[in-house]
Amino acid sequence: MSDRRYMRVATHMPPGHVRTPAYLRGKVGWVERTLGPFPNPEELAYGVTAAKLRLMRVRFTMAEVWGPDAEHPDDTIDAEIYAHWLSPTDAPHAT
Amino acid sequence: MGGDAAGPIPTEQHDFSLWEKRVDALMVIASSKGHFTVDGLRRVLEDMSPQSFETMTYYERWIASVNQNLIESGVYTTAELAARMSDVAARGATYGEASHE
Amino acid sequence: MPHDHHDHLSPSGHPYRPDDDHPLTYWQQMEIAIREILIEKGVTTAAEINAQIDAMDARSPANGAAVVARAWTEPAFRDDLLRDASAASASMGFDIGPMKLIAVENTADVHNVIVCTLCSCYPRNLLGLPPDWYKSRAYRSRTVKEPRKVLAEFGVDLPDHVTVRVHDSTADMRYIVVPARPDGTDGWSADQLAALVTRDSMIGTGLPKDPGAIAQTPR
């Protein structure tokens, strides 16, 4: 679908409290809806003043996340990811 | 953890005991009053070694996290906690005996 | 501190679990110490802790079932619920606190299931405390990778044409599944329908009860 807004999740691997699941890092999905802004949990977790960020619900196909190991390629995973972990990108190649 | 291989989903269910409910209540009350955030609770849980998942129960990990957050936010000191825990232990060998003075 | 916790009944009149005579553990010792310190410092009171426990005990999947049953019977409420589940639930009088809730609807083509891979986020204000399996490493690890196998372990076998949508509660939102209304329930009241809505059907690991299996099928 051409009107989908695709996003790639950053591949950062910082220590500490991060709400971006490791299994989604580097993966491409599309924005299901936008939420927030909410205070950044990476700052809240340490008791410091937290900047407010947009929170995106991003939808990934199982094929994108697990590749050939996917149980059912067209099933999906939705996750909430803070905007600073996302950058706009093109649709992933068909799998 | 997401995506890791693992065995069948366990089906056993236990009722929550009073002390577990109290841990839950302390977490809700102390965080709702601004002494720490849910993210602070999660941070300490995540920083625990994988071994903690094997050796501690869910609410044991929670009380450890609640404690660390309360000390970090200055609600009480480690020395205050240490003294009180010794007092508690001296009251008796069971939860019931230790829960009342 | 007051000796109210020494009573055998909670303020709601229910018996406490008989865990008082087990050997004191290190972590229980810590819980007692923290509770007493917080009361002495005026952070909380024994009454407030008991009230919080009672509020928690009062929450059960029956709350969520009432929300689902209303969505099944009132199209306008269903639309409100899918748009803003927190506001819709609060409008029914449920104490949802600061919980930010999203409702996801099962249809003939879509089956939703909820997991929290990072911890154990759960719509506790609407469903009560999460079951042990929901907090297990196995459920949290496997549901995002092989949801169909996980669902099959729960007795839910989905045909290939149904898309499974897994929702990982990674951040601020909590989720509730609105299961599909069972066939054969035309004319049922919301109260009658609510009896079909199980906890697991609102997590996505189950389906509503079979209306034919409910005694006294209403007409």
Side-chain angles (χ1 to χ4, degrees), chain A residues 18-21 23 33 35 38 55 57 59 62 66 69 71-72 74-82, chain C residues 100 102 117-119 121 144-149 160 163-173 175:
Chain A
V18 170
R19 302 298 300 173
T20 307
Y23 72 90
R33 72 182 85 175
L35 302 159
F38 296 127
L55 180 64
R57 288 199 79 231
R59 179 164 292 172
M62 291 284 175
W66 307 115
D69 289 343
E71 181 186 52
H72 198 288
D74 297 332
D75 289 345
T76 63
I77 301 171
D78 291 11
E80 301 151 44
I81 300 179
Y82 276 94
Chain C
K100 297 188 280 282
I102 288 179
T117 60
L118 297 176
C119 39
C121 299
V144 291
K145 186 159 188 188
E146 45 183 26
R148 287 171 190 262
K149 283 206 190 84
D160 261 7
T163 300
V164 175
R165 295 207 189 291
V166 180
H167 302 270
D168 189 352
S169 318
T170 48
D172 292 77
M173 310 307 292
Y175 296 87

Side-chain angles (χ1 to χ4, degrees), chain A residues 17-93:
Chain A
H17 179 72
V18 170
R19 302 298 300 173
T20 307
Y23 72 90
L24 292 177
R25 296 188 199 173
K27 306 298 182 189
V28 173
W30 64 95
V31 178
E32 189 267 344
R33 72 182 85 175
T34 302
L35 302 159
F38 296 127
N40 183 353
E42 295 166 20
E43 292 160 350
L44 280 182
Y46 297 92
V48 299
T49 306
K52 289 200 168 188
L53 296 171
R54 299 291 253 182
L55 180 64
M56 313 275 194
R57 288 199 79 231
V58 183
R59 179 164 292 172
F60 304 85
T61 64
M62 291 284 175
E64 166 68 11
V65 177
W66 307 115
D69 289 343
E71 181 186 52
H72 198 288
D74 297 332
D75 289 345
T76 63
I77 301 171
D78 291 11
E80 301 151 44
I81 300 179
Y82 276 94
H84 65 305
W85 276 85
L86 297 171
S87 52
T89 187
D90 294 330
H93 293 298

